[in-house]
Amino acid sequence: MRSLVVIIVTLLAPVVNFAQSSNEKPYQYTVDLTRVVNDRIYVELIPPAQKEKQMTFYFPKIVPGTYSIADYGRYVTELKALDKKGKQLPVEKVDENSWRIKNANKLTKISYWVDDSWDTRVKGEEIFWPAGTNIEEGRNYVINTGGFFGYFEGQKEPDFQLNIIRPKDLYGSTGLIPEKTAAPLNKVNLEKGTDTTNKVVDVYNATDYDHLVDSPIMYAKPDTAIIKVANAEVLIGSYSPTGKVSAREIAASIREVLMAQKEFLGGKLPVDKYAFIFYFTDKPVLSYGALEHSYSSFYYMPEMPIGQMNQQLRDFAAHEFFHIVTPLTVHSREIEDFDFNDPEMSRHLWMYEGVTEYFASLVQVQYDLVSLDEFIQTIREKMITADQFINDVPFTEISKFTLDKYHDQYYNVYQKGALIALCLDVKLRKLSNGERSLRDLMLDLSEKYGKNKAFDDDKLFAEITAMTFPEIGEFFERYVKGTGALPVDTTASGNRVEPLPFEEVFEDLGIIYAEEHTFEDYTLGIDNPDLGITQIDSVPKLQIATTAHLNELGKALGFQEGDVLLAINEEPIPDLGSPDVGAFFQEQLMGLREGTDISFTVLRTNSNGEAKETILTAPVKKVQISQRHLLAPNPQATPDQLALRAAWLGKEQ
Ligand SMILES: [Zn+2]
């Protein structure tokens, strides 16, 4: 029957050839970074052919890893849908993130303008900066792809092609592997009369919309370094506007941590290429952070010399990189099939963020990059910070409702989440005589599931219990999820959990734990919970946020809610965000003497709304101070305790 085969091949040949020669992806996006008008960029899409007469085109309401609403559609204007002849099709904007296109079966092109989220006129909640977008003409472009590119309802799956026209002297840092770099400009549709001098086009492919959104790209003057970690090539791409820090210095700083992480993960990395993309800002910042992706992570941080940020940089990098384990490998269905416009949250932030955060610290003590004292101090800080949050609501519910009811509890995922992981790790070690750890469990789960196989959100606890010990099931019931049924909708289950068993866990490790310890000492009359931040003439200043917890000296000084702190003993407080702030307060504290006065100059707004400088004075005196969650290795620890501690710290003989 050979001839028949030949006939079919002949018939099919022209079609196959056509598809191959054009090599076009269903979604073809073109962006021209050299054409910035009014701080906005023009984007064109040749969309997949549509069969339906009416289709909705979406920008994401939310992207994975941020756990908060972004509404990227806010930054998109003048969206036009065109047919083959260039005639506009009717388009109706349905809400912040969706456009309904009529006669979509005739659609051949979509075009629009995108504003960036970092410096914008658009109103509403700020987007988490590492998930935001930046357009600084000729200098820097942060393309968090969800902010630049949309998708059609029900059509996340087809391939995407990005053609990015860029000035010749900029470089794109990304975890994507470029299909072609600097391809000839005539391969893309350019407006007639476009000046093509000094321009090239980078071509990238993504296998679906999830992959696209998972792949940020930053364009800037090249400042890169490469670290080889086992099988993986790790790219560092950096943008430091005043040149205070370089990619080469960052690489030197995080190299050791990455090497330790590789060992921790069993000697090899689960990726071949990974990119750390850093944007450093020289503007004052009140919040900064980083966001994980499968093949990269993006960092938005204040610009400083490497010496001043070493530890934080390493902590951040270790955390984001460990997300490769969870949720990027071990995750539930809610994350696997992420709904960008109607998201369902998983119950397991204790694992995605908590275990990740815990591992990021644990790996550093296990491989001697931090001392035991520094590690214990990190744990203590988490315990103190966690005290500001709800403690008796199951963490599964905090997680499930993190977009709405419990949004103000989100930050606790890095505190209590990590502490849950710590307790679980020690429990596992104890029950297995030091043999099995949380790392082993996570590696087993990675093996069992993996990037393309999700677990059932409500079966994870039973699964882990079956893989480990019945006592672990009991641990989850008492401290993480409660004993009742899991909540199914936004109605709380009413379940309650017990405070984490710190006493027992630290006892097992031969570490002395004291929940509270009180003594007398000097203070400046203010403490962290009293303080907030306000802007005076666009400069961030400390403010008395609440007088509810003022100590005796604070009360004697007579602080009022809303007082803006300007000076102590007539010495001006340095600008927040400047590196001198900590030293200034330390110096003021050291200078306190019984029998002298302390004064604060504050900006106080009176009942007529006028702000006046006011000086508050009180005699210096020692006040009752309480310190919480004191931890110290017990010098009299038993051999059993020492053995468990050694196993925990990866120091078993
Ligand atoms: Zn994280």
Side-chain angles (χ1 to χ4, degrees), residues 283-533:
K283 310 218 172 66
V285 286
L286 298 176
S287 69
Y288 53 94
L291 184 62
E292 77 275 12
H293 302 282
S294 302
Y295 303 100
S296 61
S297 41
F298 189 93
Y299 301 75
Y300 176 83
M301 297 177 80
E303 189 187 33
M304 15 177 155
I306 193 80
Q308 283 173 31
M309 63 174 156
N310 258 325
Q311 190 54 47
Q312 186 166 56
L313 195 70
R314 295 158 76 126
D315 289 344
F316 270 40
H319 175 106
E320 301 312 329
F321 190 74
F322 263 150
H323 272 308
I324 284 193
V325 180
T326 189
L328 298 166
T329 299
V330 181
H331 53 230
S332 72
R333 215 147 274 149
E334 285 73 5
I335 290 178
E336 166 95 3
D337 188 21
F338 192 80
D339 191 326
F340 293 87
N341 290 79
D342 186 15
E344 268 284 324
M345 291 293 109
S346 158
R347 298 178 180 89
H348 299 295
L349 273 173
W350 70 271
M351 184 169 84
Y352 308 141
E353 291 300 338
V355 170
T356 300
E357 176 73 1
Y358 170 63
F359 279 177
S361 291
L362 184 69
V363 71
Q364 296 187 63
V365 71
Q366 286 197 350
Y367 291 88
D368 300 317
L369 304 176
V370 300
S371 67
L372 176 60
D373 282 346
E374 287 169 313
F375 178 54
I376 284 182
Q377 189 54 32
T378 304
I379 296 171
R380 180 173 176 238
E381 280 162 18
K382 294 196 180 304
M383 297 165 100
I384 293 171
T385 312
D387 280 348
Q388 297 168 24
F389 296 93
I390 301 174
N391 198 24
D392 61 347
V393 174
F395 220 69
T396 42
E397 294 185 30
I398 303 275
S399 183
K400 187 81 192 157
F401 308 131
T402 192
L403 288 186
D404 34 72
K405 195 162 74 182
Y406 292 128
H407 198 56
D408 61 349
Q409 299 294 313
Y410 177 75
Y411 191 60
N412 207 14
V413 302
Y414 306 110
Q415 328 300 330
K416 189 173 178 181
L419 296 168
I420 291 172
L422 163 81
C423 294
L424 187 59
D425 192 21
V426 176
K427 283 247 160 223
L428 280 168
R429 286 280 192 190
K430 177 140 192 240
L431 290 164
S432 65
N433 293 320
E435 294 294 311
R436 227 166 118 69
S437 66
L438 182 57
R439 182 200 69 154
D440 301 329
L441 171 64
M442 291 310 297
L443 292 181
D444 288 351
L445 284 169
S446 303
E447 193 103 320
K448 185 157 188 176
Y449 294 97
K451 203 163 161 31
N452 301 313
K453 190 174 171 211
F455 61 75
D456 249 338
D457 212 60
D458 53 2
K459 300 209 173 93
L460 181 68
F461 291 129
E463 178 100 45
I464 293 178
T465 308
M467 288 164 77
T468 57
F469 304 92
E471 289 88 342
I472 296 298
E474 191 197 319
F475 173 86
F476 286 130
E477 290 206 339
R478 287 177 67 181
Y479 307 110
V480 186
K481 76 173 188 71
T483 44
L486 293 164
V488 283
D489 52 28
T490 52
T491 329
S493 65
N495 285 344
R496 288 293 176 263
V497 290
E498 298 171 41
L500 286 168
F502 293 135
E503 223 141 305
E504 181 193 327
V505 162
F506 290 113
E507 169 74 24
D508 287 341
L509 295 168
I511 292 176
I512 302 168
Y513 169 65
E515 193 180 343
E516 183 129 26
H517 169 66
T518 42
F519 58 99
E520 284 209 326
D521 204 351
Y522 291 115
T523 79
L524 291 171
I526 42 172
D527 215 341
N528 283 335
D530 308 325
L531 294 171
I533 290 167

Side-chain angles (χ1 to χ4, degrees), residues 581-602:
V581 185
F584 172 82
F585 282 102
Q586 197 56 33
E587 208 170 291
Q588 293 297 327
L589 186 64
M590 300 309 284
L592 296 177
R593 296 282 175 274
E594 200 98 25
T596 62
D597 281 351
I598 178 171
S599 78
F600 271 83
T601 310
V602 301

Side-chain angles (χ1 to χ4, degrees), residues 542-607:
L542 284 175
Q543 183 176 40
I544 301 293
T546 167
T547 54
H549 322 284
L550 283 179
N551 66 34
E552 279 173 72
L553 181 64
K555 283 182 194 149
L557 280 160
F559 285 122
Q560 291 182 8
E561 227 165 86
D563 282 351
V564 178
L565 309 183
L566 302 178
I568 301 177
N569 293 328
E570 293 176 15
E571 288 183 49
I573 299 171
D575 287 348
L576 285 188
S578 101
D580 315 326
V581 185
F584 172 82
F585 282 102
Q586 197 56 33
E587 208 170 291
Q588 293 297 327
L589 186 64
M590 300 309 284
L592 296 177
R593 296 282 175 274
E594 200 98 25
T596 62
D597 281 351
I598 178 171
S599 78
F600 271 83
T601 310
V602 301
L603 199 60
R604 182 172 286 178
T605 307
N606 66 20
S607 52

Side-chain angles (χ1 to χ4, degrees), residues 11-308:
L11 283 174
L12 283 178
V15 180
V16 172
N17 278 347
F18 176 74
Q20 276 170 351
S21 68
S22 60
N23 196 21
E24 281 162 354
K25 304 293 179 201
Y27 283 92
Q28 283 182 67
Y29 271 109
T30 302
V31 188
D32 188 350
L33 301 183
T34 66
R35 190 173 158 208
V36 178
V37 180
N38 246 333
D39 202 28
R40 295 187 307 174
I41 281 181
Y42 179 73
V43 182
E44 235 176 54
L45 165 66
I46 299 175
Q50 299 298 320
K51 291 196 192 88
E52 304 295 325
K53 284 203 101 171
Q54 186 165 293
M55 277 310 288
T56 306
F57 185 68
Y58 285 116
F59 276 82
K61 182 189 177 97
I62 179 171
V63 292
T66 58
Y67 307 103
S68 75
I69 303 295
D71 285 336
Y72 289 100
R74 285 183 284 167
Y75 302 93
V76 174
T77 46
E78 295 176 50
L79 187 136
K80 289 180 190 146
L82 304 170
D83 70 10
K84 196 161 67 183
K85 293 182 180 147
K87 218 177 87 205
Q88 283 197 36
L89 302 171
V91 174
E92 178 197 350
K93 186 158 186 198
V94 186
D95 60 31
E96 215 69 287
N97 301 305
S98 35
W99 285 257
R100 194 172 294 136
I101 298 170
K102 302 253 170 72
N103 303 332
N105 51 338
K106 298 200 175 122
L107 182 67
T108 58
K109 191 191 271 187
I110 288 181
S111 72
Y112 50 86
W113 289 85
V114 178
D115 199 343
D116 62 342
S117 73
W118 284 6
D119 90 89
T120 182
R121 298 143 282 195
V122 176
K123 299 252 174 328
E125 281 277 311
E126 212 171 63
I127 292 184
F128 179 55
W129 283 62
T133 48
N134 188 38
I135 301 171
E136 271 170 75
E137 191 172 4
R139 291 168 61 87
N140 182 284
Y141 305 83
V142 173
I143 305 177
N144 261 306
T145 36
F148 274 78
F149 312 111
Y151 68 102
F152 283 98
E153 175 184 6
Q155 295 173 25
K156 278 198 321 178
E157 300 314 319
D159 285 16
F160 285 70
Q161 179 178 325
L162 300 185
N163 305 309
I164 301 186
I165 303 165
R166 61 160 165 99
K168 253 185 188 152
D169 61 342
L170 297 192
Y171 173 80
S173 292
T174 176
L176 285 172
I177 297 166
E179 173 79 4
K180 289 189 202 95
T181 193
L185 271 164
N186 58 17
K187 292 276 180 199
V188 294
N189 285 324
L190 277 175
E191 222 190 5
K192 276 206 189 95
T194 304
D195 173 12
T196 56
T197 350
N198 292 324
K199 290 176 196 178
V200 283
V201 54
D202 289 337
V203 181
Y204 302 98
N205 292 333
T207 52
D208 56 21
Y209 193 66
D210 297 74
H211 182 208
L212 181 67
V213 171
D214 198 19
S215 311
I217 311 167
M218 178 175 79
Y219 277 94
K221 292 245 154 51
D223 178 15
T224 58
I226 301 253
I227 318 174
K228 192 93 180 123
V229 185
N231 53 306
E233 195 151 276
V234 177
L235 166 77
I236 317 285
S238 170
Y239 174 74
S240 168
T242 72
K244 276 195 182 135
V245 59
S246 71
R248 189 196 272 254
E249 290 170 320
I250 296 167
S253 170
I254 65 175
R255 189 177 175 280
E256 283 184 317
V257 184
L258 281 172
M259 291 298 179
Q261 289 183 286
K262 173 202 71 176
E263 292 302 321
F264 190 91
L265 293 175
K268 97 188 246 310
L269 295 184
V271 289
D272 297 327
K273 177 183 175 180
Y274 190 90
F276 286 92
I277 311 169
F278 289 90
Y279 181 100
F280 295 98
T281 174
D282 57 347
K283 310 218 172 66
V285 286
L286 298 176
S287 69
Y288 53 94
L291 184 62
E292 77 275 12
H293 302 282
S294 302
Y295 303 100
S296 61
S297 41
F298 189 93
Y299 301 75
Y300 176 83
M301 297 177 80
E303 189 187 33
M304 15 177 155
I306 193 80
Q308 283 173 31

